[in-house]
Amino acid sequence: MSFAETYPDHVAGLQRATERVLAEHKYEALVLCSGAPQSKNRFDDQSWPLIPTPAFSHWCPLVEADSYLVIRQGKRPTLVRTVVDDFWETTAPPENEHFWEHFDVVTTEPGHASDVLPGGRVATVTRDPGAAPPGEVNPQELIASLDALRTKKTAYEIESLAEATRRAVRGHRQTAVQFAGGDVSELDLHLAYLAASEQDDLATPYKNIVALGAHAAVLHYVAYQRVRESGDTSLLVDAGAKCNGYGSDITRTYVRGDSPAARRFSELIARMDKLQQEICRRIKIGMRYEDLHDLSHRLLAVMLVEAGIARASTDELVDRGITRALFPHGLGHSLGVTTHDVGMKLRLPRAENKFLRNTAVIEAGQVFTIEPGLYIIEGLLAQLRADGRDKALDLNVIDELRPFGGIRIEDNIVVEAAGIRNLTREAFNG
Ligand code: GLY
Ligand code: MN
Ligand code: MN
């Protein structure tokens, strides 16, 4: 279905839910601010491109500074736009037009928004509290209620994420081709990804992670080198794309070459892919996401033994924190108008899962990533060496894998009543 067909239900549902939230928290109106231009540097006149307040993007894909959405009981939402008469700059028009007709649109001049915004008991939600119009700014309890509305996605949001996934997959395909051809730098691959997914660097949902070889052991590696690498090496690309403000988040790992070490790493990528798919198969409504994360450590322990990396029981590898030294991040997180979407971590994870961003019970309508990994991270291996836990590992194999850095396989998953929909595999196979 098109965005024009799915958006009316999205916005109508948000209106109903927000009216309930306003009544519960006793506000007469909610003002969602897109945000003010952010100066790059007070000695210059350049601003960063706007990344709107996420609660604004939840309603409206417009990316325009100093816009305000006003939501009140029983009234159509109003969209207040600030029209700037400027021959230096302009903002790009939205890529889709489906949302306009759902708002009463009012225009105002810079500095005059308060003239048209409501008075009374108003809650104002903004990324820029310093530039907020009158109202109670970012009240915590109200924000928690709004965050809860982002945990289950509407058909419109799922289709936006599906399109964001298809765009990202075009970028991933192109980087895979360029990498296989050899003699290519991280910067070349980053730029190839942007071109194929038709995005400016600043428009991506998060900065592309493009890591050749040992760099893949840095989980958020964005220091694109210009050195062109030929010969046996690996590539980890963790990159997404946006559609209507919604962002995908996808990782693939590749290896090139025929040396025994490259072949071993290639076999490990295949094992990790199988493990990732097994985790996806285990997703069940009613299960806690943290249990899925714990399960991924047990599956990883089995895989490490089968691959000749570890020699110990599953219990020992998991309970002594050995799998966590090799896979230190969380299994995944909710996706939406922010890459790590809100509302899914109402309770803290257990201490050994401290980087896990999703501790919710799995329900239909959630969209989250499944992204197990395996990395050779010196600082974490040093902790295993310090107390002898490294004896459970074959350090020769670890040495052989070190130049390849690590592996992550990350898909975007929709939980449906009858099972899961894997947006990423769907796009790769489509
Ligand atoms: N790309 C960041 C993440 O996977 O969470
Ligand atoms: Mn992710
Ligand atoms: Mn990612």
Side-chain angles (χ1 to χ4, degrees):
M1 281 214 285
S2 69
F3 298 128
E5 288 169 299
T6 52
Y7 183 73
D9 276 352
H10 171 71
V11 79
L14 267 182
Q15 176 74 33
R16 282 193 302 275
T18 306
E19 286 187 13
R20 279 198 300 275
V21 169
L22 285 174
E24 182 191 341
H25 296 279
K26 302 193 171 44
Y27 289 103
E28 292 164 55
L30 171 65
V31 175
L32 302 172
C33 312
S34 66
Q38 298 289 313
S39 169
K40 281 186 177 173
N41 165 344
R42 64 198 278 272
F43 302 105
D44 198 354
D45 62 356
Q46 296 182 60
S47 300
W48 293 106
L50 181 76
I51 297 174
T53 304
F56 179 96
S57 299
H58 193 199
W59 283 76
C60 175
L62 191 66
V63 180
E64 198 171 79
D66 300 320
S67 293
Y68 307 86
L69 268 170
V70 182
I71 297 110
R72 283 165 288 205
Q73 303 285 352
K75 292 206 172 126
R76 258 161 73 86
T78 305
L79 172 60
V80 178
R81 302 175 70 192
T82 301
V83 176
V84 187
D85 183 14
D86 182 5
F87 52 82
W88 291 104
E89 289 175 28
T90 188
T91 48
E95 64 167 324
N96 294 305
E97 304 274 346
H98 53 268
F99 60 94
W100 293 115
E101 65 184 89
H102 296 274
F103 302 110
D104 290 333
V105 180
V106 173
T107 55
T108 183
E109 289 178 11
H112 287 274
S114 301
D115 302 349
V116 291
L117 292 173
R121 186 141 196 266
V122 176
T124 302
V125 176
T126 179
R127 47 165 296 161
D128 304 312
E136 202 179 318
V137 179
N138 296 339
Q140 251 185 355
E141 288 176 2
L142 173 109
I143 286 186
S145 297
L146 296 181
D147 287 354
L149 306 182
R150 294 192 10 219
T151 57
K152 288 198 211 166
K153 268 58 185 181
T154 60
Y156 164 76
E157 294 179 288
I158 290 169
E159 280 321 302
S160 299
L161 285 162
E163 175 57 19
T165 302
R166 287 189 286 272
R167 291 174 185 180
V169 164
R170 290 200 278 276
H172 280 276
R173 283 215 172 100
Q174 185 57 28
T175 51
V177 169
Q178 300 232 160
F179 172 68
D183 204 27
V184 70
S185 70
E186 289 166 344
L187 183 62
D188 293 332
L189 292 160
H190 166 62
L191 296 175
Y193 180 93
L194 293 175
S197 58
E198 297 181 64
Q199 301 178 88
D200 176 49
D201 186 38
L202 289 162
T204 56
Y206 56 93
K207 205 151 166 56
N208 294 342
I209 296 166
V210 181
L212 282 169
H215 293 163
V218 177
L219 300 181
H220 286 169
Y221 180 90
V222 295
Y224 323 120
Q225 310 277 299
R226 290 176 160 77
V227 187
R228 297 211 157 94
E229 302 281 353
S230 47
D232 296 10
T233 190
S234 60
L235 170 67
L236 185 152
V237 180
D238 180 345
K242 273 194 182 176
C243 176
N244 297 329
Y246 289 79
S248 54
D249 177 8
I250 298 168
T251 311
R252 288 293 182 268
T253 310
Y254 314 96
V255 64
R256 197 173 61 196
D258 209 27
S259 63
R263 272 186 276 141
R264 187 187 273 274
F265 196 73
S266 171
E267 181 207 300
L268 212 52
I269 294 173
R271 286 183 191 275
M272 183 56 88
D273 194 61
K274 261 179 72 185
L275 181 150
Q276 195 266 3
Q277 289 291 277
E278 178 61 19
I279 299 166
C280 292
R281 270 192 291 278
R282 302 285 195 101
I283 296 169
K284 287 272 174 306
I285 289 173
M287 177 183 196
R288 287 187 309 189
Y289 191 94
E290 188 166 15
D291 290 342
L292 205 58
H293 173 91
D294 289 336
L295 171 71
S296 70
H297 278 275
R298 298 193 72 77
L299 294 174
L300 179 64
V302 172
M303 182 190 118
L304 291 172
V305 172
E306 285 174 1
I309 297 172
R311 36 180 184 233
S313 68
T314 299
D315 283 346
E316 186 178 354
L317 292 171
V318 173
D319 297 346
R320 298 183 71 206
I322 296 165
T323 56
R324 280 170 172 81
L326 297 166
F327 168 30
H329 59 76
L331 178 65
H333 51 84
S334 182
L335 283 172
V337 289
T338 56
T339 301
H340 300 139
D341 212 7
V342 291
M344 303 284 269
K345 195 180 172 183
L346 297 182
R347 112 184 137 66
L348 288 177
R350 298 197 319 279
E352 66 265 39
N353 295 334
K354 66 178 170 189
F355 296 117
L356 184 61
R357 296 173 187 272
N358 184 355
T359 57
V361 172
I362 295 171
E363 290 181 47
Q366 294 176 354
V367 182
F368 50 63
T369 67
I370 294 290
E371 49 179 307
L374 166 62
Y375 315 87
I376 310 300
I377 300 174
E378 249 347 282
L380 299 181
L381 289 174
Q383 292 174 14
L384 298 186
R385 269 197 299 275
D387 56 16
R389 283 178 292 163
D390 63 327
K391 290 188 179 56
L393 298 176
D394 185 326
L395 297 178
N396 291 325
V397 179
I398 297 278
D399 286 344
E400 198 182 15
L401 298 175
R402 185 172 282 109
F404 299 92
I407 302 171
R408 178 160 66 257
I409 312 279
E410 178 175 24
D411 287 349
N412 300 169
I413 306 292
V414 183
V415 183
E416 296 181 332
I420 62 156
R421 178 177 170 198
N422 186 325
L423 298 178
T424 309
R425 303 275 164 166
E426 194 178 283
F428 270 111
N429 298 331

